[in-house]
Amino acid sequence: MFEKYKKVYKADYEKWYKENEAYRQRVAADQDRLKFHLMPKTGWLNDPNGLCQFNGTYHIYYQYTPFEPTGELKTWGHYTTKDFIHYEDFGPVVFPDEDMDAHGVYSGSAFIEDDTIHYFYTGNLKYFDRDDYDYINSGRGSNTITFTSKDGYEFTKKELLMTTDDYPADMSNHVRDPKIFKKNEKYYMVLGARDVEGVGMILLYESTDLKNWTYKNRITTPQKFGYMWECPDLFEMDGQLYIICCPQGVETQGIDYENVHQVTAMKLDYDFDTDKYEIKDIKLFDRGFDFYAPQTMETEDGRRILIGWMQSWDNPMYPDTQRYSGMMTVPRELSMKGGRICQKPVRELENYRSNVISYDNVCIHEETELKGISGRSIDLEIALKGKEYGKFRIKLAADEKHYSEIIYDKDEKTLTFDRTHSGFKKDTISTRSMYVSDKKDVINLRILVDRFSVEIFVNDGEQVMTSLIYTPVDASGISFASNGNTHLDVTKYDIEVK
Ligand code: FRU
């Protein structure tokens, strides 16, 4: 097995691969694997990296520890897909095998220019030559590194672009996760950063050739908003710049920022000539428990697609019976509606719907099950209609002992996901809530349940909640209840992947 903080080469992986045949088979036989979400074959997966579509194929690289479920070795794994359902797995393809990235091929991105994929990532270094390092302001190196490919499979030699000494002097050692954005024939790189005072921000660099980068500015909020902004993504939609990033250490405010680490979307007005900017409209990007480090890509047909890690750091993890860990969200299409980013499951998912069961306008009051509406790998479309109720409840993944609830409180205009009774080890109240808009007394929900994951898209993706549950897979009951009269339309599809 790998030794922490030692370089790892492709040859090491190939040797370990042979030794891990039994482990691979055990995981492949695991009956609990999610059906339509990306999960590793063995080991640990975190952030999606280097997302791009090249000559029709989507490439999804990701933070990958091939054989340990603890995520300590950082390589880039590689999947490809054409339909976001069937994935080909190429295992780890970028290794921490050089002095510049010896302790981790950390997160990064891909940018296509001149028929070439240009990759950028952070080479992580940890020093052990002194015993007084705090590993925040000293003792670490964060190198910005690039390499390219003409096909997504064969890569050029890694090239060091910037070291810790190239970042502004008041930065801590935590600077990472480069992503590229092009505007008016110039390239911009955003890097997530923490300064020496413990303030989270983005560093903005500029280039005309993707090789030589000049520091341009730091982008942050007027008041401190977390101590470190990880995985920044800068892109334009409908002429408006947006940042999606992961501020760490934001304090809980009411029902906002209840997770340990957050994912937020912000509007950015930026004048690239004067470097004056304003951040506006900071919103939690996903309101569930288990969502982190998302990244977007622009597809050849002009869609902006986002994939997130369906877990997060310092957070209770998926039941790890087979000793592997991590999954990605269903890819999401981003669109603009009324000045906000909406997220919808990628349209390709609809090609894998089967066994449709539908009910129209069922009046619900006491707890009701509807024949055929059940399952643990399903796509549910629900409309809640009417004025004559206060609360509507949907129980999911239910058996006699377990259930998870989605509760719409019409008076408070809140939607709550409650996984307290989902089989979660600790017996704590476990809820996340969000305010939703009830348009003309109708709420639309699209709910993707895939065994241990629940992704809830409200009102055509205006708001989203992504969470894991802990319920045995044969608990597949669904029921509805209301404390008045709610009129319910519901359609259930199984998602079948062959
Ligand atoms: C986000 C993150 C990144 C880092 C990577 C390491 O989840 O902490 O900032 O590059 O994970 O795996």
Side-chain angles (χ1 to χ4, degrees):
M1 276 303 105
F2 85 100
E3 261 180 74
K4 224 173 156 183
Y5 308 123
K6 271 207 152 167
K7 284 180 195 162
V8 169
Y9 299 87
K10 190 168 183 205
D12 294 319
Y13 167 74
E14 284 165 353
K15 181 170 160 277
W16 298 332
Y17 185 87
K18 288 191 191 122
E19 293 163 5
N20 277 281
E21 179 61 33
Y23 176 27
R24 244 187 333 280
Q25 284 182 7
R26 196 170 74 237
V27 176
D30 180 9
Q31 295 298 313
D32 286 356
R33 282 178 78 79
L34 306 197
K35 286 206 165 155
F36 58 95
H37 288 79
L38 260 188
M39 290 187 92
K41 273 193 181 152
T42 50
W44 158 287
L45 159 162
N46 61 288
D47 315 0
N49 294 152
L51 300 185
C52 60
Q53 186 183 20
F54 195 68
N55 296 335
T57 298
Y58 298 105
H59 294 270
I60 301 171
Y61 306 86
Y62 60 100
Q63 291 286 283
Y64 185 35
T65 307
F67 300 116
E68 282 83 19
T70 47
E72 277 161 344
L73 164 65
K74 296 297 183 196
T75 73
W76 272 26
H78 184 199
Y79 291 106
T80 59
T81 183
K82 291 205 183 232
D83 61 3
F84 293 116
I85 284 282
H86 296 98
Y87 294 92
E88 200 172 340
D89 181 358
F90 294 86
V93 294
V94 190
F95 292 88
D97 55 5
E98 296 203 35
D99 289 347
M100 62 177 138
D101 63 6
H103 304 144
V105 178
Y106 270 22
S107 283
S109 54
F111 181 77
I112 296 172
E113 192 71 307
D114 299 330
D115 284 328
T116 305
I117 312 177
H118 299 257
Y119 302 89
F120 298 85
Y121 73 97
T122 301
N124 180 54
L125 295 177
K126 210 163 169 184
Y127 304 119
F128 298 99
D129 54 322
R130 283 170 47 169
D131 55 16
D132 60 347
Y133 288 139
D134 66 0
Y135 296 108
I136 295 173
N137 295 313
S138 61
R140 286 178 75 125
S142 300
N143 293 323
T144 302
I145 301 169
T146 190
F147 59 93
T148 65
S149 176
K150 287 283 183 193
D151 58 11
Y153 307 96
E154 299 285 324
F155 309 113
T156 57
K157 224 177 128 29
K158 297 167 183 171
E159 240 180 281
L160 181 61
L161 296 177
M162 288 189 268
T163 71
T164 300
D165 295 340
D166 297 313
Y167 311 129
D170 61 336
M171 287 304 126
S172 74
N173 289 171
H174 289 262
V175 174
R176 57 179 171 264
D177 310 334
K179 180 107 199 302
I180 310 299
F181 166 75
K182 185 179 181 186
K183 179 134 183 116
N184 301 336
E185 296 313 306
K186 284 206 176 129
Y187 307 108
Y188 297 96
M189 178 192 289
V190 283
L191 282 162
R194 165 184 185 145
D195 75 3
V196 286
E197 307 291 336
V199 175
M201 60 186 63
I202 287 172
L203 302 181
L204 183 70
Y205 284 77
E206 185 182 85
S207 170
T208 50
D209 59 4
L210 293 168
K211 285 276 160 75
N212 296 289
W213 293 91
T214 323
Y215 173 69
K216 195 165 165 64
N217 207 356
R218 62 191 66 195
I219 300 174
T220 191
T221 44
Q223 301 294 321
K224 172 174 166 169
F225 188 62
Y227 59 79
M228 166 75 194
W229 291 10
E230 293 192 313
C231 300
D233 194 344
L234 175 67
F235 57 88
E236 213 167 28
M237 284 187 76
D238 279 5
Q240 171 70 51
L241 279 177
Y242 285 92
I243 295 169
I244 294 179
C245 68
C246 305
Q248 296 186 294
V250 175
E251 276 173 33
T252 304
Q253 297 164 24
I255 60 169
D256 288 341
Y257 311 118
E258 290 191 273
N259 290 346
V260 185
H261 304 301
Q262 321 298 331
V263 181
T264 54
M266 318 174 177
K267 280 187 183 158
L268 175 69
D269 287 342
Y270 200 97
D271 183 327
F272 286 90
D273 297 322
T274 62
D275 288 320
K276 290 219 169 75
Y277 71 88
E278 198 186 345
I279 288 182
K280 292 190 293 202
D281 226 0
I282 303 182
K283 285 202 171 67
L284 263 176
F285 191 67
D286 184 300
R287 315 245 352 163
F289 291 91
D290 302 285
F291 180 81
Y292 201 64
Q295 188 175 95
T296 71
M297 67 172 137
E298 199 178 340
T299 61
E300 287 163 359
D301 62 4
R303 293 183 284 169
R304 185 154 295 273
I305 289 186
L306 172 139
I307 299 177
W309 173 31
M310 198 154 56
Q311 251 172 12
S312 162
W313 301 110
D314 309 317
N315 206 18
M317 295 280 172
Y318 170 78
D320 188 19
T321 48
Q322 308 294 337
R323 291 185 48 75
Y324 68 104
S325 177
M327 47 276 217
M328 299 297 182
T329 63
V330 159
R332 299 172 181 177
E333 284 182 30
L334 305 190
S335 58
M336 293 298 303
K337 197 165 91 188
R340 72 187 296 161
I341 303 179
C342 295
Q343 310 175 54
K344 287 186 203 156
V346 79
R347 66 191 69 165
E348 283 84 343
L349 188 67
E350 291 161 34
N351 299 334
Y352 296 89
R353 286 169 159 181
S354 66
N355 304 333
V356 55
I357 308 256
S358 211
Y359 291 84
D360 274 351
N361 233 16
V362 186
C363 183
I364 302 285
H365 34 96
E366 71 225 13
E367 188 156 350
T368 309
E369 288 178 22
L370 297 171
K371 193 161 182 289
I373 305 287
S374 64
R376 280 292 282 273
S377 286
I378 53 173
D379 185 347
L380 274 178
E381 286 177 339
I382 290 177
L384 306 180
K385 302 179 296 188
K387 290 185 200 297
E388 299 154 26
Y389 69 96
K391 278 189 186 163
F392 189 88
R393 289 167 190 275
I394 305 169
K395 274 191 191 170
L396 288 172
D399 64 12
E400 255 129 59
K401 277 207 214 119
H402 309 96
Y403 57 90
S404 297
E405 278 183 298
I406 298 170
I407 303 153
Y408 174 56
D409 183 324
K410 197 165 167 59
D411 301 324
E412 300 288 329
K413 295 208 177 320
T414 53
L415 191 95
T416 298
F417 180 70
D418 185 343
R419 67 175 181 187
T420 310
H421 304 283
S422 77
F424 191 42
K425 275 175 248 134
K426 288 182 221 138
D427 212 8
T428 45
I429 302 290
S430 216
T431 63
R432 288 288 178 270
S433 293
M434 61 190 179
Y435 293 104
V436 300
S437 71
D438 170 339
K439 286 170 195 138
K440 298 194 183 134
D441 295 311
V442 179
I443 294 281
N444 286 304
L445 304 176
R446 170 117 180 247
I447 305 168
L448 302 179
V449 181
D450 191 5
R451 308 195 131 196
F452 298 98
S453 69
V454 181
E455 290 160 283
I456 308 169
F457 300 82
V458 184
N459 290 336
D460 296 319
E462 283 176 7
Q463 280 166 297
V464 185
M465 255 186 185
T466 301
S467 304
L468 300 177
I469 56 172
Y470 297 86
T471 322
V473 278
D474 43 10
S476 57
I478 296 179
S479 63
F480 305 95
S482 162
N483 67 349
N485 285 329
T486 314
H487 293 271
L488 169 76
D489 296 341
V490 55
T491 302
K492 180 234 55 171
Y493 306 89
D494 292 331
I495 298 290
E496 278 190 6
V497 183
K498 297 212 173 80

